Structures are given as C-alpha cells and as structure tokens.
Amino acid sequence: MNPGIYVRGKTAFKMYEVALSEASEAQLSEVSRKLGLGLSVQEMQAARAYFKSEGRNATDVELQTISQTWSEHCCHKTFKGKIRVGNKEINSLFKTYIAKATREINPPWCFSVFEDNAGIVKFDKGYGIAAKVETHNHPSAVEPFGGAATGVGGVIRDVLGVWADPIACTDVLGFGPLDYDYSKLPAGVKHPKYVYMGVTAGISAYGNNMGIPTVNGAIYFDDSYTGNVTVYCGCIGLLPLNKFQRNAKPNHVLLLAGGKTGRDGIHGVTFASAELTEESEEVSRPAVQIADPIEEEKLKRGIIEVRDRELASAITDLGGGGLSSAVGETAEKFGCGATVALDKVPLKYQGLAPWELYISESQERMLLAVPPENLDSVMEVFEREDVEATAIGTLTAERRLHLEYLGETVADLDMKFLFDTCESTKTAVIETPRLTEPTFAQPENLSETLMQLLSAPNIASKERVVRTYDHEVKGNTTLKPLQGKYAGPNDAVVLKPLDNSWKGLALSCGMNPNYGKIDAYWMAASAIDEAVRNNLAVGGRRIALLDNFTWGNPEKPERLGSLVSACEACYDVATAFRTPFISGKDSLYNESPLGPVTPTLLITAVGIVPDIRSTVSMDLKASGNLLYLLGETYPELGGSEYYRLKGFIGKSVPKLHATKARRTYYNLTKAMGEGIIKSCHDLSEGGLAVAAAEMAFAGGHGLELDLRPVPNKLVKRNDFLLFSESNSRFLIEVAEQDRSEFEDLIRSKACAPIGKVTKDENLRIHGLDGKVVVDAGLAELRRSWKKTLSMEAQGE
Amino acid sequence: MRREEIKVCVMRVGGTNCDAETKRAFQELGVQAEVLHVNELVKQGNLLDYNVLVFPGGFSFGDYVRSGVIFARSLSVKLGKEIDTFVDEGRPILGICNGFQILVEYGLLPGFEGTSAYPEATLTTNVPQGFKCQWIRLKNENKGKCAFTSKIPAGKVLRMPIAHGEGRFLFPVEKEQQMLQKLVDNDMMVFRYCDENGNVADGKYPTNPNGAFHDIAGICNREGTIFGLMPHPERAMYWWQQPDWTRQKQMAQYGDGKLVFESLIDHLTKKI
C-alpha cells in the first residue's frame, strides 16, 4: 500500500483526503476496503475519473457520500441495473416487471406509486392510505432486539415521509428452527431462539410504545433463516390527500428534526449490501442503531401538525445512509442542489468526524424542506412537542452538493455525477434444481397426521407472540388478528380508519419460502395468490400489493436467475389479477456461513372493505350450515408442510391458474357483498384439513366432511387431498337457505358443498372410499395447534 | 351541569398514545373533550377551565423506569397546585392504563388519607411476565361511591381489552390485608378480574391476566371522584370494536366501555 495517497486535510478538525487520480486499480480496491466504502473497482474508477476532471483530491466525506448514494441499499443496482440472461438483456427488473404491471393496470385510485418513501392509494372522504414494507435482516442478525425495533421505527418514518399518520404496523418474520442443534451453529451465528425472542420483543416494544397497533404478520421457520434471519416491518398510514406537499424550491430551509446524531448506524447500508460473516458481530455492531420510540412519537405529532398547517414543502426520513441520502435525494428530487453546514447537526456526544455525522443512521430523525417565511412557525410546533429541530442548510439552484464544517468546505460534488453514475450489469442463469417426487405409503392414522401438522411450527398458533403486540391501540381494529374466544387465525385484519365512514381497510400477507427451494416463479406466484386470497376471505377488494424480496447474493448468477423468475411471476400474476404494486423493497446479499437465504418474496396486500359491517371472520358460526370448498385441488405437495413433516421437499410445487382464479375471486366478492357468507377461510399451509380444523376449533362447532365431492384434479390419495397446498382455494360457510343464491353467484364447477357444520365438537372427514379417515375432538385439535409456541396450552 | 357544558381535558405528554380514542369516546356522548399537551396547559394556565381530567394510556416518557413515575413527578412540579384544587373541589379524574399508573405514582390513588406524598400501591410487572393484549372480563364491585360506575349495577360483568406489561396491582406485602380492608370498607374497590359467569379469578391466570393482588383491575379514591383502571374502556366503546361481533346476529350499539364514560357524565349532570 502506498501511504502517500492518503493526505491529512489542512483543517482544524479531522479530515482526510485521498489522491484518487494517481491511484492504481489495486489502490482503488484498497481504498474502498479500507474506508469501508463497499464500492466495486468499476465504481471506484468512475470516482477517480470524476476527481481527475475536477483536478483535486477526494475528501473522506465525498467518498463516503458516494459510497452511500451508490450502495445497493440506496440505489438498488440489481433491480435498476442491466441483467444478462442467456441472449436476453433485461434493462431494469423493476421497470420491466414490477412498475410495468402497475403502469398497464393503471388504476385511477393509485395516487402515488414507487415515487416516495411509501406508495399511496385513495381511500375515502379525501383521505389516502400510504403503505410501506421494509426489511431489516442484517441488523436483526447482529442485534435482534435493536435491529427489529429500528426496523419498525424506520418503516414508520417512511410513512411519515409521505405526510401520513401511521395507523398500523405489520411484521413478517423468518427464523431458523427453535430447536436448532447448538453444536452445529457456526461461529458468529446466533441461536434461532435467541434471535426469535429478541426480534419479537423489539417489534412489540417499538409499536406498543409509539401507540401504533401491530395488526398483521406471520412467522416462518426454515433452516435457511438460521444464518439469515428475515425481518419484514410494514407500516400503513392515513393522510388527507390535499395536504400532500411536494414542492420544495431553492432557498427552502433544510430542517433536521428529531433525535440527536451519534456513531450508531455508521455504514448500515454498506453492511446491508454485504454478506454476513463471522466478523460481522465485531465489525458491524456500530451499524445497528439504537431505538427510542418515544422520540419518534413526539416527532410524529410535530410532523402531523406541520402537515395540517401546510408549513413545509417537502419531507423525507433519515434511514439508510442517514443525512447523506436524505439531503441528496431531496435535492435530486426537486432538481436542486444543497448547501449544508454539518457542524449545526446536534450530536449525542462530541468527537464525530464530518463524514461520520453525515452518514450516521441514528434513529428518529426526519428532514423537512421549509419555506423561509414558515421557519419560525415550524420551530414552534416542534418546541411544543419537546422535539429538537435545527436548520442545517438550504436547497440551492446550483446543482451541486456543498457541505461545510466549521466554515470549511468538506464536500463539493456535482449532483449529476452523484446520481446518474450508479449502474451495473450482472449475469443471471436460470437453473432448475434437480428434485424428485418422494414415494411413501399413506399413513394409517390421518387424525394423528393432522395433529402433527397443526403442531408444526409454521402452522401452529402464534398467539403467544401476537398478544405481546398491542393490536387494539387507536381503537380502530375491527377484525382482530386472533378471532374470538379461541383466538382462531383470521386471514386478514380489518381496520376502520375514519370515524365518519364505514369503509374499512383489509391488511393481509402471503409468503411461501419453502416453494422457493423448488421454483422461484411459482413461489412468487403463490405468495401473491395467498396475499390476495387472505384479503378476499375477510371481504377485501380493490387490492394493492407491496413486494419485498429477500434474496441471496445477486453477484452469483443462479441467485440472480431465480430473482428474475420471481419478478416475471410478479408481472404475470399482478396483471392477471389486476392488482397493482404500489411500493416495494429488496434486501439482497442474505448469505451467511450456513449458505444463502431461501428465495423469499413477501407480498403484502392492502384491500378496501366497502362497509366493515360486511366483514367475514374465519370461525364457524352455526351448526346445520353448509361448508363449500371453492377451487380445485391438484396433487401439488412439493414444498408443502405435509412433505416437510415426512422429511421431503418434493417437486410438485403448487401452480397458479391466475385467469381462472380471478373469475372465481370476482364471484366470491359478489357473494360476500350479498352478505350470505357466514365464514370464509383460505387454504394454505396444511391444505384442506388444517383450514377445516382451524375453522372448527375457532368457532367451537364440529364438521362432518366428505372428500368425494371435492373438486379434484387427479388426486387419488386421501392424505394428498387433505394436505395438498394448491392455490386459489377457500372453505366457505353458507346457511342452507342461501344455498341456491350462493351457487348462482359463484357459478363455478370448481365449487362444491363438502359437508356440514355439526353440533358435536368433532372434526370428522370421510375419505374417497367413504370410510372415516379423520376423526378428532376440537379440544384436542386446538391443543395440538396451540402447544408448540404457547406457554398457556398446558393450562387449557 | 348540562351535558354539553361538560369540558374534558385529555392530558398528554411525550409517549401518551391513547388520547385520540379517549377523546372520541367522550365526544360520542355529547360532551366537550380536548387533547392538551402538558406544556400547553402550563403555558396557558387553564387546567381549571375543565371539569374532568383524564390521563389516557400510553408509555409516558417511555416508562423506562417505574411506569408513570416520571410523568407523575414532573406533573406535581409543573401543575401541582391546579391538581390540588381539582382534587379538593371534587372534580373527577380518570386514569386509564398508563393513566392509572400515573395516578398511583402521584399518590392520588388509593389516597386513603387524601393525596399521599409517596405511592401507597404499585402497578408492576405482569405475572406471567410480558406485555399482553387481550379481552378480559371485569366485575363491578363498587357499591355506589365511584362516580365512574354510578350507572353500572353492582356485580355486573363487563368486557374490555387490556394491553399492558405492568398491570399487577400490589400493596406493600406487610400491609396488604389491612389496606384491602380499607379499600372495601370505604367502597374504593371498583373492578376485579373475573370469568364469564362473574366468578372472580382468585389469582388464577389467565382470568386474572397479570397476577394483580385480589384480582384488582380498578379502584377509586375515598370520595369516588378519582378512578384508575388497567383495562381500556375507550377500546370497548362501539359494537364494531368487540372481539366477536362477526358471530352475533344483532349487536348492541355500544360496548361495555361506554358505561364508564356514561356514568361519569350522569354523575356530573346530576350535580348542580
């Protein structure tokens, strides 16, 4: 290494310059590594060319700013760059699949999509709904409580960043098996149980303390999450659309509001864009931020008042990349430059170098652009809430990013260079894993198998965790995550956000990580179908989707190949269903010494319930009612919980017949509108048998079912019919007197009454030969379902 | 006093988070209700313009030490005089969840001998430990003194949700029987955790969700004008907030929480 390329700046404070223009390729890599920039050689070359043309050295502040702006986390190189698959070149996965689907569907109710921190759809009475889901995987792996809590805090700020008042949080989590063998745990990987306890506690702490109900979510257990915990945090907000301000201009003041800045969260984004290693703990600990939900609660109050009084012209949150992203992106969005005096930034403690405070990801901070004449009023608002707010700079007409510290220039970058340079070309290979379908005899006692499935971690009740989240605060949760006396698993929650409207908001999600091991295309298609199904099951319609990818290292062609496949599915299914994407986020590089994360796409669905009084829950309502099965059952057990129980993966992953499904969904919605559906439950993990059992023990009514009338596509075994996870299926309870009206509305050959709700507290199912194949008491089924993750089961 | 003349102050500070739905519950019943930040009340000096003071739920100042203690102490410094007058004049004060914790930390509850300089009871970590959000049942054991249950028959079973991690009501162990006796003798006992049939939990989880001494969920002061409870009546106000409304053919328009607010308003409108 040539020490000559690092030059101590002639400043009174600590700053280094790097003589990039003289640097060799090897030195460029060395600089990137040494300063923790995470930039590739090509990117360093671009930086070298820029500083050569400027005829000067680069400062550390400038290099760090470039590093943050060009990081995967901030500029999404993989999703926005070029990808070569065989002879084909995809110019931006995002534009080619995700955004294209939305553009083609082009619904009039989309207000703002993909543009800001969160997507916005129209709701009612002039209000809009903002939605955003984020991942916080890497920080949660290193520090589970703090990582998850700041994940929640971050996504809430995303919603505040579009002037919306947060009204609900969602969370979907992936952990390794809780009984993972300690001796197999590699150095640097924390035990799944520790991670599970910390992450769930972190989520509950942040949402509860801020008073935002955590209403929807899911928990999955999979081996591949052992080294790569997966934490999705979502937030839904409500805003009066006429208060949505986005018109910042030169001379508007950049106001930093909220918490103070410290060394926590340095290099969070470059950390998020790298693989986890044994040293992650030591090297990356500072990359995890410290959460203070009360600070954010106060900040929220101030922001909502500034919004209502229309005092500011723009707002953005400080998330990944800290000030560097917030200042740069605000200036870029409004075609401005910016001048910022970094010494004005309030610090937690002294001693931060200018570059550190510029990229620090300390939490609970927002950046507002304020017309100078409104500055005093805005300051008063924050003062009243005991929130610190500081004018740190202004937007400028000149398109340059100009940073000062104690009167000295520490960065002076051309905005165009900063924002237009970032691009990449990657290579993808689409591989089909070599898998086979297992052969095994049908178990003799299928009641026993059903109990085992109900106890399987991915199916078992998550009540113990859900109850630690306040899902009722704000008093607007009308369909709860847990249904009724027995806490049955509702498919979605319904909120009633406005006091003067009966219109509701249905929130649901879909995720099928196990399918990702077989086929990423069908995994993604199934996730969308599941999210939509869950939403429809409670009465949701006019559904908007959010896509969140958690993937392995995209530099590896086969990982990228599966990402391309999943994106193709997103386009195909969204356009077939006419459900647009409104927001999304990707978390790549989820790899650990145990290998990559299983390709995981979380789909969050935001639906509208035209009148909450027609909401449908999943618990059986009355004996004598009919139970219909809507949708066809195929021998699709690849990746199913049943195969997992038997120790297999298999190959026959569930497919999706999207056009057919859409017709069914349309008719189901019509029947819901007529109010003749007493209960409805989607079929997912564990298939027909698990869904029927859940409806029965949640409602306290028995069921007598027959597999012979099941709309059956070549399934010849009772166990396969009971546990197949074919998509697009529902169980629907209808009163005898509504039979013909229901059948007229559904008008589908793939819909058949398969049994009745009974008085005795038993689930009894007749097999293909008419003999009873499942016969189990509700209490016993309920106990099997509750015992795995619950401490209360023993007392039941 | 006429219903529409009643002015309710819902007081908040950083970390208060159930203020909006608490205000909504009062407004639903036709009284005036406002949410005011404690900074605002200090600046305006107008607390005594209100007839009712409410401390809603939340995590005041984050509750990183004993829940409610920081708010209670800072309040006694900032607005102690006005609070004293409020209490002396018998103006009602309600504390829900974190609000209950604040009233206990302030010394307003149980207040056997008036406002105490030190807390006489505590609301501490749940047993079993951890935050819990769940609908529970309460039995009204008040015989008529409490202004907030004046319209609720003694023995009636009510349903409301709880959402707290620190709701275990305790007296000092050495005095607990003696204090319990005082509580009962002075008709300061209000709500106890019970089952569907009105049988008190007798300490049994999960009917008693937090391990509270004597299944205590809510108490009032000697005069019956100050009332604190852990459950959230404002979340049990409307039919559509109930956990099982999708099972019912016909729902009453309101939930049991309304009875608490309605009782108070009834109490005030009967006063001259």
Side-chain angles (χ1 to χ4, degrees), chain B residues 127 136-141 157 191-217:
Chain B
V127 173
I136 47 85
R137 285 186 167 79
L138 300 167
K139 186 175 190 177
N140 177 27
E141 297 226 329
V157 178
F191 288 150
R192 293 176 69 195
Y193 300 109
C194 69
D195 67 14
E196 293 170 56
N197 305 315
N199 304 309
V200 290
D202 203 16
K204 237 181 103 186
Y205 181 82
T207 311
N208 175 337
N210 54 30
F213 170 64
H214 203 62
D215 309 316
I216 291 175

Side-chain angles (χ1 to χ4, degrees), chain A residues 346-537:
Chain A
L347 300 178
K348 290 183 180 177
Y349 34 77
Q350 292 306 305
L352 272 74
W355 72 267
E356 287 180 301
L357 68 91
Y358 195 51
I359 68 165
S360 157
E361 295 177 9
S362 288
Q363 294 290 290
E364 290 90 26
R365 300 178 302 161
M366 299 286 291
L367 187 74
L368 287 83
V370 180
E373 64 273 19
N374 294 344
L375 187 60
D376 288 347
S377 308
V378 174
M379 297 296 282
E380 269 172 45
V381 170
F382 284 117
E383 195 188 327
R384 206 166 332 117
E385 296 294 338
D386 294 330
V387 171
E388 191 164 2
T390 316
I392 58 165
T394 52
L395 292 174
T396 58
E398 195 194 3
R399 298 266 293 138
R400 286 191 86 81
L401 178 71
H402 185 89
L403 306 177
E404 292 179 358
Y405 190 80
L406 298 174
E408 305 231 26
T409 297
V410 294
D412 185 21
L413 293 168
D414 179 49
M415 290 288 292
K416 198 167 155 44
F417 157 71
L418 198 53
F419 282 89
D420 290 355
T421 309
C422 167
E423 61 177 41
S424 79
T425 303
K426 292 191 170 80
T427 307
V429 177
I430 296 180
E431 278 184 353
T432 323
R434 253 172 261 148
L435 296 165
T436 52
E437 203 61 15
T439 48
F440 60 93
Q442 173 166 290
E444 299 216 337
N445 186 344
L446 288 172
S447 303
E448 179 65 33
T449 309
L450 174 57
M451 308 276 196
Q452 287 168 350
L453 274 175
L454 286 168
S455 303
N458 285 338
I459 292 173
S461 170
K462 310 296 184 295
E463 181 175 2
R464 185 175 173 189
V465 174
V466 175
R467 295 237 180 262
T468 66
Y469 304 151
D470 191 341
H471 47 263
E472 306 247 18
V473 59
K474 292 188 186 293
N476 293 334
T477 312
T478 183
L479 190 71
K480 331 274 180 192
L482 303 170
Q483 179 59 29
K485 183 176 171 187
Y486 301 111
N490 270 328
D491 291 315
V493 289
V494 178
L495 303 175
K496 183 185 175 299
L498 295 174
D499 288 342
N500 58 351
S501 164
W502 287 110
K503 208 171 246 195
L505 196 64
L507 303 176
S508 62
C509 62
M511 189 163 121
N512 301 91
N514 217 27
Y515 302 171
K517 294 171 191 163
I518 304 173
D519 189 310
Y521 182 93
W522 293 116
M523 177 276 284
S526 299
I528 298 175
D529 190 62
E530 187 183 12
V532 168
R533 248 164 31 221
N534 280 329
N535 216 287
L536 293 168

Side-chain angles (χ1 to χ4, degrees), chain B residues 47-108:
Chain B
L47 178 58
L48 294 171
D49 292 350
Y50 296 87
N51 311 99
V52 181
L53 174 58
V54 183
F55 295 98
F59 290 79
S60 50
F61 293 98
D63 283 345
Y64 295 114
V65 287
R66 256 174 20 236
S67 291
V69 64
I70 297 193
F71 191 18
R73 289 302 106 209
S74 74
L75 193 65
S76 76
V77 173
K78 288 178 176 168
L79 288 171
K81 267 198 187 141
E82 285 94 331
I83 301 266
D84 284 346
T85 313
F86 220 92
V87 174
D88 292 345
E89 293 179 357
R91 301 194 199 189
I93 302 179
L94 171 64
I96 302 168
C97 196
N98 191 226
F100 186 17
Q101 294 163 338
I102 291 160
L103 294 180
V104 170
E105 287 295 342
Y106 197 103
L108 290 167

Side-chain angles (χ1 to χ4, degrees), chain A residues 72 78-79 138 272-274 549 551-554 563 586-590:
Chain A
E72 180 69 50
T78 305
F79 265 77
H138 287 72
S273 309
F549 296 84
W551 236 258
N553 185 347
L563 187 63
D586 54 281
S587 165
L588 311 176
Y589 299 92
N590 290 280

